Amino acid sequence: QLKNVLARPAPEEKTEAPSESDDPAERLMCIPDGPRLFHLCFDFPKDMATLDAMRKHPGLLDAVVLLAPSPPPPGDPDAPAVEPVAAEEPTDEEKEEKAERAEMKLAGQRREKLFQEMRQACSEQRTGGNAMGDTVFTTAVLAEEPRASLSAIGRALLIPVRYRIEYATWRRSIPLVSADPRPIDLRHYFHALSSVPPGCTSVPLVLNALLEQVS
């Protein structure tokens, strides 16, 4: 699955004019200085093994969106109780529909569990840094029409994309200072600590030695 995604050709980049549409997906494509190329991969990553393999490709996964159906409206607590009626024997078609709904529910639970596991893995601290630490995790409503689902994805990504652009703009305004590495003379620091028995070393003593070293 990862090889197929990496082998996909990049779409042709186009400069979009500011959008006056209310569609969040179109507005996402027209954010000033925002992204113009999007790869949508469904059911990706499919498991944690694929996510671990993606750590070799930093920046490959910008966002993970969990599409879930909207919850049913809550019932009216003041509505009168309905007496149960004897149910008729379900037909074969009704049994198949019930089995399909049960399977879809289980599949949704598995996706939600994987979503939470990936979010946890991408947020944990790792030695040498976490290559997936910048991945955005968010949710959107799964609609019956594909276009409505695409709009929901765009709505979920609007704010994260704007925050990233603001952060990138802020970083560009910070001057970077490069200096040649030089050997550090720590003789005074080590001399100050060597005169104290190891059992008597304390945090204030170490801080005092550091201050004397840099003064």
Side-chain angles (χ1 to χ4, degrees), residues 16-177:
E16 301 287 345
S19 175
E20 298 180 357
S21 172
D22 293 333
D23 190 339
E26 295 185 10
R27 290 163 54 195
L28 179 66
M29 295 288 294
C30 301
I31 296 178
D33 298 327
R36 296 294 182 266
L37 305 179
F38 290 86
H39 278 294
L40 296 181
C41 305
F42 294 91
D43 290 330
F44 179 80
K46 64 177 182 179
D47 49 34
M48 293 300 295
T50 305
L51 182 69
D52 291 336
M54 294 176 62
R55 298 184 187 278
K56 301 178 182 178
H57 307 276
L60 176 64
L61 190 64
D62 292 317
V64 177
V65 182
L66 176 63
L67 288 174
S70 57
D76 186 0
D78 298 329
V82 179
E83 296 182 0
V85 296
E88 299 180 356
E89 182 68 20
T91 63
D92 293 341
E93 293 182 358
E94 291 174 341
K95 291 180 180 179
E96 291 180 0
E97 291 179 359
K98 184 177 180 180
E100 289 179 0
R101 289 195 298 268
E103 178 59 30
M104 291 178 60
K105 183 177 180 180
L106 290 175
Q109 293 174 350
R110 289 193 294 266
R111 284 194 294 267
E112 184 173 358
K113 180 182 178 182
L114 178 60
F115 178 82
Q116 298 298 339
E117 291 176 351
M118 290 191 297
R119 171 184 281 177
Q120 177 65 28
C122 291
S123 62
E124 64 186 10
Q125 299 293 331
R126 289 174 174 258
T127 303
N130 192 337
M132 313 294 291
D134 292 335
T135 304
V136 174
F137 286 82
T138 185
T139 59
V141 176
L142 176 62
E144 295 182 0
E145 296 294 332
R147 181 64 191 183
S149 296
L150 184 61
S151 298
I153 295 174
R155 186 180 298 106
L157 295 178
L158 272 175
I159 294 179
V161 167
R162 286 172 175 166
Y163 282 168
R164 286 196 175 185
I165 294 173
E166 292 177 1
Y167 176 70
T169 303
W170 172 78
R171 284 197 61 179
R172 287 195 297 267
S173 64
I174 299 178
L176 298 179
V177 178

Side-chain angles (χ1 to χ4, degrees), residues 192-209:
L193 292 181
S194 63
S195 59
V196 180
C200 299
T201 305
S202 62
V203 174
L205 184 62
V206 173
L207 290 177
N208 182 69

